[in-house]
Amino acid sequence: MKSIHRKDLVFKALRCEETERVPWVPFTGVHCAKLIGMDAAEFLASPENIVRGITLAADKYLADGICAVFDLQIEAEALGCSLKWSKNNPPAVSSHVLENKVIEELPEFTRELGRIPCALKATEMLKEKIGADTAVFGLICGPFTLALHLAGADFLTDMIEQPDKAKALLDYCAEVARKMSIWYLEAGADVVALVDPMTSQISPRHFKKYVMSTVRPAIEEVKARNGFVTLFCCGDATKNIELMMQCGPDGIAFDEQVSLSAARELSCKYNVAVEGSLHLTTTLLFGSPWECAEDARRCLQEGGVKGFILSPGCDIPFDTPEYNLEAVGRFAVLNETPAKESGFTPLEEALASCDMAAEGFEDVTAEPGKLFVEVVTLDSEGCAPCQYMMESLYRVKDRYKDRLVYRETLIKSLAGIKRMGALGVKNLPSMLINNELVFDNIVPSDEKLIKELDKRLEIN
């Protein structure tokens, strides 16, 4: 049988053609840092480190495609936002430059700003080293998420109260995305992925009004240059999946909160490929190799061999076991299934034996006149929607002084996953007040959050 380059499988899938087998693209992100014994900050500071880690991951996990740099803060940092660095996550935006400036005061957006040269150099090196056989994805921050990074919560308020101001910022961010798309293509990227996680937080009405027109410049630019382009949104983006396809990308990527079967039907309607949706924590991070292979089997059955790419729903957590990703790769590429009884505790058993209270996730009942706020996240240090959900609480909590206590429940631990199940939370991020789910996968405005908090104080 004629051999085929791995990247050609990715290209055929993005053209919605039938493939000999489904291509596999692990979004390894800063997990690559752990593979080479580094923390995330050291890894992301050097194109040589990035290339060494990603090349190793591509080889170990039998990847058909790889992401050059999975860091959605590069553009915001280049334009003047400060970052908070982490050892095991990409950095998070810690200050919003447009809280103290206007757009006209931002620096001219050039390819020499900030860490943009590092990302482009890493892309060039990856293309030269493994790009002959492996598809190289260049990931950029989508316009809507970049607007949040630059302006903070004021941008969400402006969408309601000053829509012209919000639209002007989005138009600016659309041009940033268009330029980044060109630079990644010039550096050798085969696919440009516009990653816009905050769009899962808005209604279809706002998606139509604010997002569709602002992702199109980059999509049209990439297509005009004969590249492939995808839209990527994490969280429960179900309500906007069809609109994402109507934007005209070659493919869309989403996580486990979106039904792959439903997305597959829309894929056939719009001739837009789909990419997903391995469970990020419950299988890849904490499952056994057999459970990971079974999750891959589910995705392959639901996705089919036409217009589908197997991938996780977001960048892989730093501490994801190598053997789990190897199991997915070997199953997807070689059709090898690990033994079910192979010395690993099944997730169900691990959760059953997990003591939530010992891990700091005990039940809390608010006293009369008090508030307990629990925010369930993937990780507010590495997930933009989770970050802005926590920021919404930080902005108002001092109003309540010692009457309010709060906790972030991360599902990057077994106890966090068990707590999420006990609360009945289905989507991330979510905010509960006095153990009642109030904001489900939606970042509240200050006004809405204060209203809900005050309501519960009055009830008490």
Side-chain angles (χ1 to χ4, degrees):
M1 182 170 57
K2 182 180 177 181
S3 63
I4 185 169
H5 288 306
R6 295 178 183 276
K7 69 178 182 181
D8 289 334
L9 291 170
V10 175
F11 298 164
K12 289 180 74 173
L14 289 173
R15 289 193 292 263
C16 287
E17 298 173 2
E18 188 168 316
T19 52
E20 290 82 347
R21 64 168 174 80
V22 172
W24 151 238
V25 180
F27 300 137
T28 43
V30 296
H31 168 77
C32 295
K34 186 175 184 181
L35 293 182
I36 57 175
M38 293 182 179
D39 64 28
E42 184 182 5
F43 172 74
L44 290 172
S46 158
E48 290 77 16
N49 292 344
I50 292 168
V51 171
R52 187 156 66 95
I54 292 174
T55 302
L56 178 58
D59 181 59
K60 285 178 67 70
Y61 305 144
L62 306 181
D64 299 305
I66 49 87
C67 301
V69 182
F70 206 123
D71 180 351
L72 303 185
Q73 289 64 237
I74 290 176
E75 295 91 337
E77 181 189 25
L79 289 167
C81 294
S82 299
L83 302 184
K84 178 184 177 183
W85 286 87
S86 169
K87 291 185 178 298
N88 58 5
N89 277 312
V93 170
S94 59
S95 72
H96 308 289
V97 64
L98 291 181
E99 289 181 340
N100 302 303
K101 292 184 177 182
V102 295
I103 293 175
E104 292 73 20
E105 295 177 297
L106 298 180
E108 180 185 358
F109 191 70
T110 69
R111 62 189 301 158
E112 288 75 35
L113 287 181
R115 289 183 295 121
I116 295 174
C118 174
L120 298 179
K121 182 63 176 177
T123 305
E124 292 175 357
M125 294 169 65
L126 281 165
K127 183 68 173 181
E128 182 178 348
K129 190 161 187 176
I130 62 173
D133 190 53
T134 307
V136 177
F137 285 61
L139 268 64
I140 65 177
C141 184
F144 193 85
T145 299
L146 181 57
L148 262 293
H149 286 340
L150 295 178
D154 289 345
F155 169 67
L156 297 176
T157 302
D158 288 341
M159 287 173 56
I160 307 300
E161 299 179 358
Q162 300 186 70
D164 290 344
K165 182 180 178 182
K167 187 63 169 62
L169 176 54
L170 280 170
D171 288 342
Y172 173 85
C173 294
E175 178 61 11
V176 169
R178 189 187 71 84
K179 287 183 175 180
M180 286 292 289
S181 298
I182 295 172
W183 299 337
Y184 265 117
L185 289 174
E186 291 176 344
D190 301 298
V191 184
V192 172
L194 279 76
V195 188
D196 220 342
M198 289 302 298
T199 59
S200 67
Q201 302 292 295
I202 60 176
S203 67
R205 178 172 65 89
H206 281 135
F207 191 99
K208 289 179 182 178
K209 183 175 182 179
Y210 290 110
V211 177
M212 294 186 79
S213 63
T214 50
V215 296
R216 280 185 176 134
I219 291 173
E220 291 170 358
E221 188 72 59
V222 174
K223 288 191 167 185
R225 292 170 180 263
N226 297 315
F228 291 98
V229 59
T230 63
L231 287 180
F232 189 165
C233 182
C234 62
D236 187 2
T238 301
K239 57 187 176 294
N240 292 325
I241 289 294
E242 187 165 9
L243 294 174
M244 289 172 67
M245 293 188 179
Q246 291 174 4
C247 292
D250 296 295
I252 65 166
F254 46 81
D255 71 17
E256 64 216 55
Q257 297 179 62
V258 174
S259 165
L260 180 53
S261 297
R264 182 80 204 123
E265 292 181 12
L266 292 171
S267 171
C268 296
K269 177 180 178 180
Y270 290 99
N271 203 41
V272 173
V274 294
E275 191 173 357
S277 59
L278 290 164
H279 287 67
L280 203 62
T281 57
T282 51
T283 50
L284 291 179
L285 186 57
F286 292 114
S288 68
W290 181 84
E291 288 169 317
C292 290
E294 286 302 299
D295 196 23
R297 188 193 305 277
R298 170 193 62 83
C299 290
L300 295 176
Q301 289 173 343
E302 294 180 8
V305 294
K306 185 178 180 181
F308 176 59
I309 296 173
L310 177 68
S311 69
C314 197
D315 55 326
I316 292 167
F318 185 88
D319 289 317
T320 301
E322 296 173 33
Y323 50 74
N324 278 349
L325 293 167
E326 289 172 343
V328 173
R330 296 186 71 82
F331 179 79
V333 176
L334 305 176
N335 199 29
E336 293 181 3
T337 303
K340 186 174 183 179
E341 302 297 336
S342 53
F344 295 94
T345 303
L347 177 63
E348 187 175 345
E349 290 182 21
L351 288 173
S353 61
C354 176
D355 185 344
M356 286 192 291
E359 297 292 330
F361 294 127
E362 69 280 359
D363 288 327
V364 176
T365 302
E367 301 173 10
K370 298 287 184 73
L371 297 164
F372 172 57
V373 179
E374 185 166 11
V375 186
V376 185
T377 72
L378 176 62
D379 187 341
S380 63
E381 286 191 349
C383 160
C386 300
Q387 173 189 344
Y388 289 110
M389 180 75 90
M390 288 301 300
E391 281 193 11
S392 70
L393 176 61
Y394 294 151
R395 287 194 304 274
V396 307
K397 67 181 181 63
D398 289 344
R399 174 188 179 98
Y400 300 94
K401 298 188 168 80
D402 61 356
R403 292 182 297 169
L404 185 151
V405 295
Y406 67 91
R407 176 170 75 203
E408 179 181 3
T409 295
L410 284 69
I411 64 162
K412 282 188 175 180
S413 69
L414 285 170
I417 292 172
K418 189 172 183 178
R419 176 66 176 168
M420 179 179 175
L423 292 169
V425 170
K426 303 296 184 183
N427 300 312
L428 299 177
S430 288
M431 183 184 293
L432 299 94
I433 304 175
N434 292 353
N435 298 313
E436 177 188 354
L437 180 60
V438 179
F439 298 105
D440 183 359
N441 193 45
I442 186 73
V443 175
S445 65
D446 293 3
E447 182 182 79
K448 287 183 178 179
L449 180 52
I450 288 169
K451 179 181 178 181
E452 293 296 337
L453 291 168
D454 287 351
K455 181 195 303 182
R456 281 152 184 83
L457 281 177
E458 292 168 4
I459 292 173
N460 285 334

